[in-house]
Amino acid sequence: MSLANLRTHYTSQINPEELGDQKVTVAGWVHEVRDLGGICFVVLRDREGRTQVTMVKKKTEPELLEKARKLVRESVVSITGTVKPEAKAPNGYELIPEEITILNEADSPLPMDTTGKVEAELDTRLDARFIDLRRERTTAIFRIRHEVLRAVRSFLTENGFIEATSPKVVATATEGGTSLFPITYFDREAFLNQSPQLFKQILMSGGLDRVFEIGPIFRAEEHDTRRHLNEATSIDIEASFCDHFDVMEILENMVAYIYEQVIANAADSLAAIGVELKVPVLPFKRVTYDEAIDIVNASSEEKLNWGDDLGTVAEHTIGEHVFRETGESHYFIIDWPTAIKPFYAMPYEDNPILSKGFDMMHRTMELSSGAQRIHIPELLVSRIESQGLDPEGFEFYLKAFRYGMPPHAGWGIGCERLVMTMLGVENIRDVVLFPRDRRRLSP
Ligand code: ATP
Ligand code: MG
């Protein structure tokens, strides 16, 4: 048998009105075998759905029937048969088999249940991700993640952005030295990159004008939370001749577009997860850092001083406050103290205590950080020094600012946080195929 003969259709592609009484071949996993005395059902599952294979004992060749009854759950099979319309079966048809080919028999017991009847622990599921992915809900999450990234690419391309990729093995820290993974690079020490920040800025000096990157970022964060990974996927943009407000508008438009696209293209997956999405209303509310501090201090949860960073509790307090006021989950926090934003964030010319940095928030967590960047080399050097970093280590970066760097702005948004907040998923590990955290380095 040539492999091309193993499958003529996905289970969902078989329209009984068109293909009734015709021969088709489906291929996939044995989801279930039900032997009911006079009749035996095999449910075959592929990526797109399920097919019920029906064998009435009296009308089925004994050899074929025996083979069907002995099928081990989750084995891979190819089944050729005739399509019969059947309103009660999945997709409105059943298959009367002629040939069942076992391509690979599964061991038993399985590492976890695939039917969704028994809910496995997250760790068990991640250890056996290949089996977990056979569950409808898990597949649905990754289909939606695909739609999100597809929407990002098409939105940014439509808006004049060029996709770029930057190195992940680097010599310097972008976001400060505490959360770096050191690696050995031949006989030197190097690091896994925390962000494409410095490279996308260099591309602005190169005149690419608008770039985006979708790629991994590595953070050696020690803490074990539901919203941090040690390897995450960042969606980053940088745009020349733009200020922070220009790129905030691009960001909120992109988020709304992504929601629209997921609703339009992944309705089945949303239904499988039980999520009803609503497109966020534009424009997102802008809360200043000063207002954010006041909101926190007016609550009984926590007291903050001006200049403090906003922690998890503060983020929740502000998120709930905005949600009560607007009914919306997304908002911006703007006008942050320069001292608590990265060195490359531009201070306001008339009030350098405040920066043109912003965060885009979801009710439950930070989704994105961005800023108009400093494009003046002297100012950049002094900001690097005032954050306790050594400008010498940044020479490759600073050089790009001395020969014609346009004013520019940009942001980075975590792909996983975007997907988890969209779907109301509790743990970030659920929206990464193979998460990396403090304990998990395999699979
Ligand atoms: P947080 O304060 O929530 O840890 P951050 O301010 O350190 O985030 P940034 O450096 O601003 O993160 O990165 C931009 C975006 O990248 C974040 O808003 C988030 O969506 C995503 N991101 C950053 N670090 C992680 C991580 N460890 N795990 C998952 N996503 C991350
Ligand atoms: Mg941030």
Side-chain angles (χ1 to χ4, degrees):
M1 193 186 233
S2 130
L3 286 191
N5 296 333
L6 291 179
R7 176 168 71 197
T8 58
H9 295 80
Y10 278 129
T11 55
S12 63
Q13 287 174 325
I14 297 168
N15 177 352
E17 273 161 34
E18 250 170 55
L19 292 170
D21 293 329
Q22 291 194 40
K23 218 190 269 183
V24 297
T25 305
V26 289
W29 288 260
V30 176
H31 186 69
E32 202 177 6
V33 180
R34 266 181 296 150
D35 193 354
L36 305 174
I39 196 161
C40 176
F41 296 111
V42 173
V43 178
L44 175 142
R45 187 189 68 243
D46 64 14
R47 192 186 74 186
E48 303 296 317
R50 290 172 199 173
T51 287
Q52 175 179 299
V53 180
T54 307
M55 282 153 282
V56 176
K57 282 187 190 165
K58 278 189 245 159
K59 296 189 196 160
T60 310
E61 243 181 77
E63 225 173 275
L64 189 67
L65 186 65
E66 210 36 40
K67 198 173 194 179
R69 288 163 116 175
K70 286 197 184 137
L71 285 175
V72 177
R73 266 183 58 209
E74 296 305 318
S75 299
V76 176
V77 295
S78 168
I79 302 181
T80 301
T82 310
V83 177
K84 283 267 175 292
E86 168 55 63
K88 280 181 277 172
N91 298 312
Y93 70 90
E94 56 186 9
L95 207 61
I96 313 302
E98 273 164 36
E99 193 178 340
I100 298 177
T101 310
I102 300 173
L103 297 165
N104 225 328
E105 191 167 272
D107 280 353
S108 56
L110 296 165
M112 59 172 280
D113 173 66
T114 52
T115 61
K117 284 174 195 149
V118 191
E119 191 52 41
E121 294 284 327
L122 182 59
D123 266 330
T124 312
R125 292 175 32 221
L126 293 176
D127 286 341
R129 198 52 139 166
F130 61 96
I131 291 275
D132 181 44
L133 279 163
R134 298 182 196 177
R135 300 187 322 145
E136 208 180 352
R137 181 189 155 84
T138 310
T139 314
I141 288 176
F142 291 99
R143 274 182 180 261
I144 290 168
R145 185 178 158 125
H146 161 71
E147 286 301 335
V148 166
L149 289 176
R150 184 165 85 152
V152 166
R153 285 204 163 84
S154 76
F155 177 87
L156 292 174
T157 304
E158 282 299 304
N159 282 278
F161 286 83
I162 293 174
E163 183 161 3
T165 50
S166 64
K168 302 307 153 206
V169 177
V170 295
T172 15
T174 319
E175 310 289 323
T178 50
S179 58
L180 279 170
F181 283 115
I183 59 166
T184 303
Y185 190 69
F186 301 106
D187 52 358
R188 281 185 282 172
E189 186 179 55
F191 305 97
L192 294 176
N193 207 1
Q194 297 162 304
S195 138
Q197 182 62 32
L198 307 185
F199 294 98
K200 55 182 190 163
Q201 287 190 264
I202 293 173
L203 298 180
M204 296 302 98
S205 178
L208 287 188
D209 201 69
R210 290 178 158 222
V211 299
F212 75 101
E213 173 161 359
I214 301 172
I217 56 169
F218 300 91
R219 308 271 172 111
E221 339 227 24
E222 288 283 337
H223 41 286
D224 191 5
T225 77
R226 287 161 179 263
R227 65 176 201 285
H228 287 95
L229 293 162
N230 293 112
E231 178 176 1
T233 308
S234 182
I235 301 161
D236 269 85
I237 74 153
E238 206 63 32
S240 288
F241 308 104
C242 284
D243 68 9
H244 51 317
F245 292 118
D246 296 324
V247 293
M248 282 163 62
E249 201 177 319
I250 294 171
L251 180 56
E252 62 190 355
N253 283 326
M254 184 181 86
V255 170
Y257 179 78
I258 293 168
Y259 272 67
E260 281 166 18
Q261 288 297 303
V262 168
I263 292 168
N265 301 325
D268 290 352
S269 300
L270 288 171
I273 305 174
V275 169
E276 217 173 291
L277 272 196
K278 173 180 143 302
V279 180
V281 174
L282 296 173
F284 297 172
K285 188 178 170 65
R286 274 90 166 132
V287 177
T288 65
Y289 171 85
D290 285 7
E291 288 164 351
I293 293 289
D294 288 346
I295 292 168
V296 173
N297 286 340
S299 79
S300 54
E301 300 295 323
E302 199 183 7
K303 301 293 167 204
L304 291 178
N305 293 315
W306 196 92
D308 287 343
D309 207 349
L310 306 175
T312 310
V313 176
E315 284 179 5
H316 275 121
T317 309
I318 304 159
E320 289 308 316
H321 178 94
V322 172
F323 186 75
R324 274 197 305 276
E325 208 172 78
T326 63
E328 288 293 315
S329 294
H330 296 84
Y331 64 100
F332 285 104
I333 303 179
I334 59 170
D335 299 350
W336 288 76
T338 304
I340 55 170
K341 277 290 165 195
F343 64 78
Y344 46 78
M346 179 70 109
Y348 278 101
E349 289 79 2
D350 56 356
N351 182 12
I353 296 293
L354 293 185
S355 77
K356 300 187 186 182
F358 62 85
D359 278 5
M360 200 269 282
M361 309 293 297
H362 181 267
R363 189 175 169 187
T364 51
M365 70 188 78
E366 176 192 317
L367 289 185
S368 170
S369 286
Q372 182 183 329
R373 323 296 192 184
I374 296 174
H375 60 286
I376 314 291
E378 298 73 33
L379 180 55
L380 195 53
V381 171
S382 85
R383 288 290 301 135
I384 289 175
E385 283 169 343
S386 69
Q387 300 228 335
L389 297 163
D390 180 5
E392 240 171 65
F394 291 88
E395 189 45 34
F396 76 99
Y397 166 70
L398 290 168
K399 213 160 70 180
F401 289 74
R402 295 198 195 102
Y403 304 93
M405 173 64 93
H408 59 280
W411 42 253
I413 179 168
C415 171
E416 289 81 15
R417 290 197 190 172
L418 182 59
V419 174
M420 76 185 284
T421 51
M422 171 182 278
L423 302 180
V425 166
E426 289 283 318
N427 194 318
I428 195 165
R429 290 159 184 78
D430 250 324
V431 302
V432 203
L433 285 168
F434 302 106
R436 290 289 171 265
D437 62 26
R438 279 186 63 182
R439 289 167 301 121
R440 191 168 279 283
L441 193 53
S442 140

